[in-house]
Amino acid sequence: MTTNADSRLRQLGILAVLVLLTETAPLELSLVYPAAHSLAQSFGSAGADAVTGAVSLAAVVCIPLLGRIADVVGKKRVLLGSGAVFAVGSLLCATAGSLPLLLLGRVLQGAVGGALAVAYAVVRDTFPRHRVPVALGVVSSGIGISGIVAPFLGGALVDRYGYRGVFWFLCALSVCVLPLAAVALPRDGRRDGTEAPPGRRLDVPGALLLGLAAAALVWGVGTGVRSGWAAPAVLLALPVVLLLTVGFWRRERDRPDPAIDLALLADPAVRGTLIAAVLTTAGTSAVAYLLPQLLQTPRQAGLGYVFGLGALAAAGWTFTLGLGALAGGPAGGLLARRRGPRRTALTAQALVAIGAFGFAALPGQRGLVLLVSLVFGLGTGLAYVGFANLITEAVPDERAATGTALIAVANQLGAAAGASALASVRTFYPVGPDGTLFAGTGYRLAFALAAGVALLALLTTYRMRHGRTPATGGAASRRTDSSTAESVESGTIKEKI
C-alpha cells in the first residue's frame, strides 16, 4: 500500500527529472551564445549565425509533431526518444569536423524543443488536480536555472575547451538524465492508471505542415531584419508561409484524426491564450537579447546609459534576471491555484512592462540593473507558468500535449519576433563618429517598444473570459468537454424523437 509520503516523494522525483529533461531546451541556446565567437573563428560569422539559429528552426518544426505524437503514442516515450535524439545531436556537434555536420547535429538537438510542452502534459496526467498548477510552476522554474547558470558555465567551457566543450557538456547531461527519466517517469496511460485506448492515428503530414509554416515564418522574420524586408529570401518566405498554412488548413478541416484539431484554434480561450503568449514572449525575448549587448557597449564620456562591461561581467550584473525567473515559476503556480491563471498572466505582463520601461530609463548605475533585472525576471517566470495553466484549463485531457505544444510554438514565434524585429529598432538611429554616440537612444526605443508590446499583451489577457477562477489542473476543461458531449448527445436524441 502506497502512503501519502511515498506518493509525494515519487511526485517530487518526477518533478526533478522533468526539470532536468526540460532544462536541455533552454541550455541548447543559452550555453551556445557564449560560444558564438569561437564558432565564428572556425566557421565564419555566417556559419556561427547558422549554428545558433538552426536549432530554433528545427524545434519549431518538431514541436507540433511531438505534441501530437505524445497524445497518440505516449508522453514518456516521446520524452525519452527526443532526449536520445538530442544526445546523438550533441555528440555529433562535439565531434563534427565540418559545418554541414555541425548543422545536422544542431537540427537533431532541436528534437528536444517540444520537451517542455510534453512535460506540462505529463504533470497534468500524473499529479492530483489541485497540485497541477504549482507543479507546472516548478517545471517552468528550469528556465530560471538556465538563466543563472548558463552565462557563467558557457563562458568557462568555451574559455577552456572552445565551442566543443559546450556540446560535450550537453551530451553528458542528457546521457546522465535519460536513465533517471526511464525509471522515474510514470508509464503512459490514463490518469486512473489504465492503458490509453488503441486505434488512434497519427497525422504526420499535418503536423509537419504546421511546423514548417511556423519555421518559414521565423526564418523570414529573421532574414528580413538582417537583409531588409525587400530581400529575395523574404519575398520567397512569405508566400511559402501562406501556402503551407493553407495546405495545413485544407488537410486538417475534414480529417477524423487531425494533427491539430482546428476546433482548438477556433476556441476563444485557446486563441486568446496563444495571442497573449506571442506578444508577451516577444517583449521578454527582445529585452533578454538586447540587455547583454547594452551592457557590453563601450562607455563614452557624456553617455551614462552604456556600461562597457565584458561578457562575463555583464553576466554577473544580470544574474538576478535568472533568480527572478526561478522564483516566478512556483510563485506563479500558487497564484494560479488561488487567484486564477489569468491573474498570473496579468501580473507577469505588468512586471515585464515595468522592467522594460526601467531598462529604457536606466541611468548609468549598475545597482539598478540588478533591481530591474530581478523585476523583469520575475515577470518572465510568472508568464511561462501563467500560460501553461491557461492552456491546461482550456483543452481536454486527450489533447493536453497538443495544447501545450501550441503554446510552445507561440513562444517560439514570439521569441523570433522579439529578438529580430523589436531588437532591430536599436539600429534605426545613426551612429556617431566614435561608434557609440547614439547607441543608447536606439536601445531606449527598443526597450520602450518591448514594454509597449507587453502592455498590449496585458490588454489582450484582460479581455479574456478564460482563467478568471482558480486553476483546477485541467478539471474544468474536462467538465466542459463532458458537458459539451452530453449536450450533443441530448440534442441528437431529441432530433431522433
Side-chain angles (χ1 to χ4, degrees), residues 276 280 344-354 379 387 454-455 457-459 461:
T280 305
T344 305
L346 288 173
T347 304
Q349 290 152 349
L351 291 175
V352 168
I354 291 171
F387 291 123
L455 289 177
L458 186 148
L459 291 176
T461 304

Side-chain angles (χ1 to χ4, degrees), residues 51 73 128 149 207 244 262 275 320 326 348 361 396 464 484 491:
V51 170
V73 306
V149 174
L244 290 171
L262 294 180
I275 293 172
T320 52
L326 180 62
M464 291 169 53
T484 303

Side-chain angles (χ1 to χ4, degrees), residues 310-451:
L312 192 58
W317 285 104
T318 58
F319 79 96
T320 52
L321 196 154
L323 284 179
L326 180 62
L334 288 171
L335 182 60
R337 189 173 70 179
R338 294 177 180 176
R339 305 298 299 273
R342 174 178 169 272
R343 178 67 62 87
T344 305
L346 288 173
T347 304
Q349 290 152 349
L351 291 175
V352 168
I354 291 171
F357 274 127
F359 288 128
L362 198 65
Q365 299 180 17
R366 297 179 185 178
L368 289 180
V369 175
L370 292 172
L371 177 60
V372 178
S373 294
L374 181 64
V375 172
F376 182 84
L378 181 59
T380 301
L382 288 172
Y384 276 99
V385 67
F387 291 123
N389 275 287
L390 280 170
I391 203 69
T392 296
E393 297 296 305
V395 299
D397 283 345
E398 63 272 13
R399 298 287 185 181
T402 303
T404 50
L406 289 175
I407 278 290
V409 171
N411 288 336
Q412 290 284 347
L413 293 177
S420 298
L422 284 177
S424 68
V425 173
R426 76 189 188 280
T427 65
F428 285 176
Y429 280 78
V431 178
D434 55 7
T436 59
L437 182 58
F438 298 104
T441 306
Y443 278 109
R444 288 181 192 273
L445 179 60
F447 287 132
L449 286 176

